[in-house]
Structures are given as structure tokens and as C-alpha cells.
Amino acid sequence: MNEPTPDRTAEGRTVLLRGGEVHSPADPFATAMVVERGAIAWVGSEGAADSFADGVDEVIQLDGALVTPAFTDAHVHTTATGLALTGLDLAGARSLADALARVRAHAAARPEDRVLLGHGWDASGWPEGRPPTRAELDEAGGGRPLYLTRVDVHSAVVTTALLDLVPGVSGLAGYHPDAPLTGAAHHAVRATAQASVTARQRADAQRAALARAASLGIGSLHECAGPEISGEEDFTGLLKLAAEEPGPRVFGYWAEAAERAADLEKVRALGALGAAGDLFVDGSLGSHTACLHRTYADTSHTGTAYLDRAAVAAHVAACTEAGMQAGFHAIGDAAVTDVVEGVRAAAERVGLARVRAARHRVEHAEMMTPETIAAFAELGLTASVQPAFDAAWGGEDGMYAQRLGAERARTLNPFAAMLRAGVPLALGSDSPVTPLDPWGTVRAAAFHRTPEHRVSVRAAFTAHTRGGWRAIGRDDAGVLVPGAPADYAVWRAGELVVQVPDTRVADWSTDPRSGTPGLPDLTPGGQLPVCVRTVVGGRTVHLRPDE
């Protein structure tokens, strides 16, 4: 494939791509596409492409490559993702001893860091079956301040030296003398740890995360920020960096509750699309803080509730009246119920049609029931979901089964039922909780560990491309049709196929008469597509070396 330098596909140039497979509903057999002034101008056949060849600024020979809309990751923590990429990442630690060895090595390699930061430990899969004690961390970190988040980012283990920097932490909810911190205690310690990150470190981390996203064919990210997550300076700095430098688009959400429309002026001033994202109604299953109707299988409580349905109702009503999206983080079935009842109460106050039109969203929405699924559809709620959660923690022996028991665990992440009911899905990673990995995310949805929750590759792909745009209120993007933004990715992929849970549908869909465009074979164990080029608004933001 001939490759120009990145700036030659900038906005304003007219480019013809030909000789490949263009995934477009405008023409299921398209092999060529024209991009003009940052938008898709035409898609069609190779023969028709001849008429454009002399009138464009550039012709790119695809050599059989696949062209698709760029992915949208609908839930990301960009700076934290970058810090994990550039710092201490414990996601690969296979034991407590391995994790402690990695801490020692990281501390030795970073003698100048005032506070050591790390992420990704998950003791549920370690042979020791427990996280490190404070004494073990004090020794491994050499007595320095150290902050290590669990993989779900809802709890953390820390050293004594870091606790000493947080006055009054022992009196806060969620403080445990020698166990992971949760709740208010965790938030206070996190704020202190993040304050140690310099502006340059933060910008470098953001650039690293955006570059990784672009290299994976991701054209846009939904940043889920908030006062308990990252801070205003981090949020506004990210939006500024993304606007000024070539890379994926960043759409920001700020998770701060409002009681009236006037409370949302700060959200607007920060440049956020909505008061949504990780506005916590509860916590996570791994940290035992997701709020349940019945007790956990491996402990005697039902988790933690941060917002009740009255607070949800007030927030949704305020956002709806202000013409802004509302949204919440809700994982446990009790938390999801509180969201549904709160949104329904808001609809009674301001009108169902206005609530539906606002496209409010719920992050994660893991423990759904037939009743809450129906309510999501009725209220027009978008479910921003992470299929990689099931791949990581589902199954008969996974963390979900440990926390909930096998019967309840099998009900989690019911994507097929949600789609059948008409619930809009937007797929994401919650990176760094799970890695940026769009094709892996599509695979996880199509090959869900619970077979009845599986969806077709095409449905999952649509939810990971067009679904993310629809979640921000844009119906004209995330698809390769004339007039849509020229956000696309070029892939080296194997044979294109149609994969659906029902083989009868698959048999018809692969018949040429069906006109169903194929997608890469995502059967587990096989190689995922490799991104050759990512383009955002007609501008190349990633170019694979040596292509």
C-alpha cells in the first residue's frame, strides 16, 4: 500500500481510496471511497472509481485492505490510561509475590518520583488469594508514598507514607487499617496521589493514551471525568490537548450531581457534554461496593449506595431542563433500580418526551433484569457497556461467580436481551480497567461467556462505532456514508465473514443475495485485525510503520 506522509491527508484535500473492501451500508459491495473536506463524499465500486481518479489530490491503493468507520470507545479515563502505559502496570501480575517484585523494581527505577503510582492488581486470581498488606507495601516501596489501584479503580492499597500525607483519613468511610481503601477514604488518598503528578507528566500520559487509541483504529473517546476521579485541571487540559494536536476526538463528561439547572453552569464552563459518566450510584463488584438487592455470596453485606433515587431524579430533571445529558455509574441491581426509578420520577416532573430526547446514559449497567431492561427502553436510556468485563471476570469460575454465586453471575451483561428490547448500546473499555482493544471488545460481546447474552459481530461492531456517536446525540457519524465525518480506519484482516449467534441467520447472511457486508473473523484464538491507518476528520492520526 502506498503511504503518504501524515499531513498529506489533512482536511481540505480530496482523496480516493480504492482496491479494498469498504464497510458501508450505502453499498455492501463497495471497494472504493472518496474523502473531501474532512467528510465522506462517495462510496462505490471499482469501476465507478475510475471517474474520480483524475480529479482528486491523491489516490491510495488499498491492496485488498478493509476500511471501516473508526471505533468510538464510550468510556475511558485517559490520563490514568496513559499513566498505566508509562508507569507501573500490575495487570499482568500473576501472584502477590510477582506484584511485590514489580513494585520493588518500579521504586528502584523512579528515585525522583515523590509519590509512586500503579494500577491493575487483581487478587481474585492470585494463588495467595489476597492483596498485599500495608507492611508488605511499605517494604516493597522502600518506605515511600505509594498508591496502587485495584483493576476496577474502586479500591486501592497504599503505604503508610502516603496515608501520612492525608490528614484525617482514618476517620473517613471506607478506611481499613490493613485492607484496601474504598469510598471516601479512597477518594481522599487518590486526590493526594494525583496531586503529585506534574503538568508535564499528565500531558505525556494523555499523549501516550491518545497515541495508543489511534494505533488501534479508535477515532474518538468519551472521557469520563469528575471531581472524585481526576480533577478539573486534568479534564480541561485533556480537552485542550485533544483540540490542538492531531489525534482521536475527545468528548468529555463531568460527573458532578446537580439539584437544579443553575448547578450545571460549572459543567458547561469546563467544556463537558454532560453531567454524566462516572457519577457514582454505587461501586464495583470486585471491590464489594456495587449495590445489590441481596447480599454478596462471599461476604455478609449488600455493597455501597452513593446516590439514592431522589438524588437521581433531581439530577436528571435539572439536566433535562438545562438541555444537557445526565448519566450515572450503576453496576449492582439495586443501583440500577434506583437509577430507573429516579429517571422515571424525573420524567413525571419534566415530561417523558423531554427525558427520552436528552438521551441520558448509564455506565456499565451490568446487573440488569427484564424489568430494568424494559425501563431503559421506555426511558430512552443509553447503556454504555464494557464487554471485556465479561471476558475478564465472567464464567463459572470467574470473579463474578465468586462475588455473586454462579446463578446470579450468569445474568450479568445481558447484551442480547438489551438489544432485543431496543436499548441503545455504546461499547467501551473503561480503560485502564480493561485495555483499549476495540476488536477484542467486539469479540467479547459476540462470544460472551454466557451464550444467551451473545450478539452478532455486526451488532457489536455497530455499537462500538455508530453507537458511541449516537450516545452523544449524533446520528450522522460512525458510518461510512456520504456526508458523514471522515473518521475511518484501514485494516489488514483475513477473510471477511458474517458471525451471529443463530447459525440459520449466518447461513443466509453469507449468501451474496443478502447483501450483508462481512467483517473479520473474530473466533476466539484467532488473530485480530491490524490497524494500518487511522483517519479523523480527513486527517491521518496514525500510520503503521513500514506499510
Side-chain angles (χ1 to χ4, degrees):
M1 181 188 301
N2 65 312
E3 297 293 356
T5 55
D7 61 345
R8 288 184 61 196
T9 51
E11 291 185 36
R13 295 182 62 83
T14 302
V15 179
L16 168 64
L17 299 89
R18 65 182 306 178
E21 300 279 352
V22 179
H23 188 88
S24 171
D27 183 346
F29 307 108
T31 61
M33 180 172 78
V34 173
V35 174
E36 186 174 24
R37 292 191 295 276
I40 308 299
W42 172 85
V43 294
S45 67
E46 196 63 26
D50 291 335
S51 63
F52 292 97
D54 294 334
V56 300
D57 297 311
E58 182 176 5
V59 177
I60 296 177
Q61 297 292 342
L62 294 168
D63 299 329
L66 171 67
V67 183
T68 72
F71 286 99
T72 293
D73 192 311
H75 191 120
V76 174
H77 303 284
T78 307
T79 303
T81 296
L83 290 172
L85 290 170
T86 59
L88 175 56
D89 184 1
L90 294 178
R94 294 292 175 258
S95 67
L96 172 59
D98 183 13
L100 291 171
R102 294 180 186 218
V103 170
R104 292 187 190 96
H106 183 73
R110 305 293 285 263
E112 304 302 321
D113 289 3
R114 190 168 72 89
V115 176
L116 298 169
L117 303 174
H119 166 75
W121 61 268
D122 184 0
S124 67
W126 291 350
E128 298 90 348
R130 64 171 180 85
T133 65
R134 189 157 299 148
E136 288 170 334
L137 282 183
D138 287 345
E139 182 277 326
R144 295 161 66 188
L146 170 67
Y147 171 75
L148 295 178
T149 47
R150 190 184 182 279
V151 64
D152 56 18
V153 201
H154 284 268
S155 60
V157 289
V158 301
T159 56
T160 302
L162 181 57
L163 288 176
D164 289 343
L165 299 177
V166 190
V169 65
S170 62
L172 297 177
Y175 175 82
H176 307 284
D178 200 23
L181 305 178
T182 61
H186 176 215
H187 297 159
V189 171
R190 175 164 57 192
T192 297
Q194 290 179 342
S196 73
V197 178
T198 67
R200 180 173 179 176
Q201 284 177 305
R202 190 162 53 239
D204 287 347
Q206 292 167 352
R207 289 190 181 97
L210 294 175
R212 174 63 65 87
S215 75
L216 295 168
I218 297 171
S220 57
L221 307 170
H222 295 184
E223 167 69 13
C224 293
E228 296 180 344
I229 302 164
S230 55
E232 295 179 21
E233 186 178 359
D234 180 89
F235 182 64
T236 56
L238 171 63
L239 296 184
K240 184 174 185 291
L241 185 149
E244 294 177 349
E245 300 182 8
R249 305 175 193 263
V250 176
F251 301 104
Y253 287 97
W254 185 255
E256 193 160 354
E259 294 184 358
R260 56 191 64 83
D263 296 339
L264 297 164
E265 290 306 312
K266 174 184 174 181
V267 179
R268 293 190 194 279
L270 290 172
L273 284 181
D278 276 333
L279 182 52
F280 297 119
V281 178
D282 67 344
S284 74
L285 292 166
S287 293
H288 291 103
T289 52
C291 192
L292 313 181
H293 285 304
R294 293 189 288 122
T295 58
Y296 283 86
D298 58 351
T299 192
S300 59
H301 63 80
T302 58
T304 306
Y306 298 123
L307 290 177
D308 60 20
R309 59 191 65 182
V312 169
H315 183 69
V316 172
C319 289
T320 304
E321 290 176 334
M324 181 178 286
Q325 270 186 304
F328 306 92
H329 162 119
I331 287 179
D333 49 3
V336 173
T337 297
D338 281 342
V339 168
V340 163
E341 293 305 318
V343 176
R344 184 171 282 127
E348 293 173 357
R349 189 182 313 172
V350 301
L352 177 59
R354 292 179 69 191
V355 165
R356 287 179 57 87
R359 302 192 191 189
H360 303 308
R361 51 190 285 170
V362 182
E363 310 302 314
H364 315 309
E366 291 201 78
M367 292 186 71
M368 302 289 285
T369 65
E371 293 75 22
T372 52
I373 291 173
F376 269 49
E378 172 199 354
L379 298 167
L381 297 176
T382 294
S384 170
V385 298
Q386 296 74 39
F389 287 7
D390 173 73
W393 304 310
E396 296 298 310
D397 300 318
M399 182 270 288
Y400 289 153
Q402 294 174 24
R403 295 291 185 267
L404 302 172
E407 182 179 354
R408 271 192 296 179
R410 280 191 291 269
T411 69
L412 265 62
N413 301 298
F415 305 136
M418 294 165 85
L419 283 178
R420 283 195 302 269
V423 176
L425 298 185
L427 270 54
S429 62
D430 198 7
S431 181
V433 175
T434 60
L436 298 169
D437 181 15
W439 285 115
T441 295
V442 173
R443 171 187 277 172
F447 294 91
H448 197 294
R449 289 177 179 270
T450 305
E452 57 263 37
H453 299 330
R454 294 174 179 171
V455 300
S456 70
V457 166
R458 185 182 183 191
F461 175 80
T462 299
H464 211 353
T465 51
R466 198 168 193 179
W469 283 95
R470 285 174 167 168
I472 63 167
R474 291 280 299 274
D475 293 329
D476 62 336
V479 62
L480 301 182
V481 297
D487 289 21
Y488 63 90
V490 181
W491 307 91
R492 292 294 182 203
E495 180 185 3
L496 303 185
V497 298
V498 176
Q499 291 178 298
V500 297
D502 188 329
T503 56
R504 296 168 300 174
V505 178
D507 289 342
W508 166 243
S509 297
T510 53
D511 189 307
R513 293 171 296 172
S514 72
T516 303
L519 285 165
D521 186 347
L522 301 184
T523 302
Q527 183 177 353
L528 294 172
V530 174
C531 184
V532 173
R533 178 198 298 264
T534 306
V535 175
V536 175
R539 181 184 297 273
T540 297
V541 299
H542 166 73
L543 205 57
R544 183 176 170 81
D546 303 322
E547 283 289 340

